[in-house]
Amino acid sequence: MTEDLLISADGRVGRISLNRPKAIHALNLAMCQAMIDALVKWRADDGIEAVTIDHSEGRGFCAGGDIRMLAKSGAGDGKEARAFFHTEYRLNHLLFTYPKPVVAFMDGITMGGGVGISQPAKYRVATEHTRFAMPETGIGLFPDVGGGWYLPRLEGRVGQYLALTGARLDGADCLALGLATHYLPSEKLAEAKARIAAHPDRIGGILGELSITAPPATITHQIDRINRLFASDTYEEILAALESDGGEWAERELATLRSKSPQTCKVALRQLKEGAEMHDFAAEMAQEYAIGSRVVTMHDFIEGVRALIIDKDNSPRWNPPTPEAVTDDWIDAIFAPLPENEKWTPLA
């Protein structure tokens, strides 16, 4: 058990509440393991019919993983980082295959690791506070926790756009794209949780009754542009399309991409291309673990965390410095399968 997590049974509902408000509820290894332990226990408990995942106080549902720890470990032997990824991805897979309905309340910042514990849920509740993103290209990591599965299954090329730019979506955007199943005003969440605890067999109906019409989704007006300009799986071709367009939106997105890690952008495009063709979530997680175990020790991740989180100068010096310098061989090495004794495996 960890004080960073509040675990309880509320009627016939198992409740997991993230409790690291100063870190915007970012996940650490102990939290991931405690969530696994609770979920495994409830899976075998006939008295628990559903599970809810939410957060305690503060403005975030879950801002991701323990990035500082990952960078510190990656600068050394990477062992602690690999242990975190291995456990976090087991949690992601457990939620994806969970036999009982899970409700995730994405009431606030939902990024990286927060996406990984909300997207597998059958019910995903967005609110006016939801801010959803996969911002990993900005820190030299990659859109993991199942990003290679969820993102390419969004409409058109929206997933590739989100993976490359780290664009932030609000609750209305999430609902429109299917990242959320329901849109509730935040003042109705306590009522929703209480009613679900009393009637876990009526989750869909309860959330439907408490839902309101979401505001217009900004992302829907951009999909045609995204599909046209982010059509290629080759990063240089996306940059060229944005350059030749010359419009204000394209110029803004081009400037955004120029600030991102070229290595991570190329990893993301290949990851989403291959993820779209996978038929097994466990295979996706095994590939992401192979990628993660390597990039966490590489220059761009260490430098990205330095520039954006530690020194906060927001001036990362990427290496390789340009898309052209990130060769196919470089990416192939990142995607190579791990030796049998080092591969990721789901829970038995």
Side-chain angles (χ1 to χ4, degrees):
M1 187 58 68
T2 169
E3 62 186 18
D4 294 334
L5 204 63
L6 305 175
I7 297 174
S8 61
D10 190 358
R12 289 171 288 157
V13 172
R15 185 172 178 185
I16 294 172
S17 209
L18 308 179
N19 190 42
R20 282 186 82 199
K22 289 182 179 176
I24 321 180
H25 309 290
L27 300 172
N28 56 36
L29 179 62
M31 291 168 73
C32 292
Q33 188 59 56
M35 290 174 76
I36 288 172
D37 293 344
L39 289 164
V40 169
K41 176 185 168 188
W42 290 333
R43 186 172 60 184
D45 185 347
D46 292 339
I48 297 295
E49 297 178 26
V51 173
T52 63
I53 303 175
D54 62 13
H55 70 281
S56 62
E57 63 182 298
R59 61 196 175 92
F61 166 67
C62 175
D66 197 340
I67 295 297
R68 284 175 182 263
M69 177 279 291
L70 292 173
K72 184 178 179 182
S73 173
D77 61 10
K79 185 177 179 181
E80 193 178 356
R82 289 191 296 274
F84 173 76
F85 284 141
H86 200 280
T87 303
E88 183 185 26
Y89 295 0
R90 281 188 162 182
L91 171 62
N92 300 145
H93 182 264
L94 176 59
L95 286 166
F96 190 92
T97 57
Y98 207 63
K100 301 180 182 185
V102 177
V103 190
F105 292 95
M106 307 187 299
D107 181 39
I109 295 168
T110 305
M111 297 184 183
V115 173
I117 59 172
S118 59
Q119 284 308 296
K122 181 176 182 180
Y123 303 99
R124 303 176 298 279
V125 180
T127 73
E128 73 276 13
H129 297 142
T130 301
R131 294 295 178 270
F132 180 106
M134 293 295 279
E136 289 80 8
T137 53
I139 56 167
L141 196 54
F142 72 109
D144 66 334
V145 295
W149 180 277
Y150 302 116
L151 293 176
R153 286 164 174 78
L154 297 178
E155 180 177 347
R157 298 291 291 182
V158 169
Q160 286 76 8
Y161 165 73
L162 295 176
L164 291 175
T165 66
R168 297 189 179 192
L169 304 176
D170 62 20
D173 292 327
C174 289
L175 185 70
L177 293 174
L179 293 162
T181 59
H182 295 81
Y183 187 92
L184 270 64
S186 56
E187 67 262 21
K188 289 288 185 182
L189 295 184
E191 180 183 347
K193 293 170 190 177
R195 288 176 62 181
I196 288 169
H199 300 283
D201 55 326
R202 289 197 56 243
I203 296 171
I206 291 165
L207 293 176
E209 288 169 19
L210 295 175
S211 290
I212 59 170
T213 301
T218 307
I219 190 72
T220 56
H221 304 300
Q222 301 169 350
I223 289 177
D224 287 346
R225 253 187 313 218
I226 289 169
N227 290 346
R228 177 168 54 85
L229 297 172
F230 286 77
S232 179
D233 286 319
T234 302
Y235 188 44
E236 289 89 340
E237 291 178 2
I238 291 174
L239 295 173
L242 290 166
E243 279 181 351
S244 63
D245 180 86
E248 187 179 334
W249 187 88
E251 290 289 335
R252 194 165 60 245
E253 298 305 323
L254 184 62
T256 296
L257 291 181
R258 294 289 191 210
S259 71
K260 307 299 185 183
S261 159
Q263 169 186 289
T264 305
C265 290
K266 288 201 170 185
V267 166
L269 283 172
R270 175 161 168 182
Q271 177 197 356
L272 268 60
K273 184 174 187 289
E274 295 187 3
E277 298 163 1
M278 288 194 182
H279 302 290
D280 178 30
F281 189 71
E284 172 62 33
M285 299 316 295
Q287 183 183 74
E288 291 190 9
Y289 181 72
I291 299 168
S293 67
R294 294 186 175 105
V295 299
V296 78
T297 65
M298 296 175 78
H299 170 275
D300 274 15
F301 178 58
I302 310 299
E303 171 64 6
V305 173
R306 180 208 64 76
L308 277 83
I309 293 170
I310 297 173
D311 295 343
K312 294 186 169 65
D313 60 26
N314 294 316
S315 299
R317 293 179 288 278
W318 305 123
N319 187 25
T322 64
E324 295 74 20
V326 183
T327 64
D328 290 345
D329 287 347
W330 186 278
I331 299 300
D332 287 344
I334 290 173
F335 275 77
L338 290 170
E340 282 300 323
N341 64 333
E342 296 176 22
K343 287 183 176 179
W344 178 87
T345 55
L347 286 168

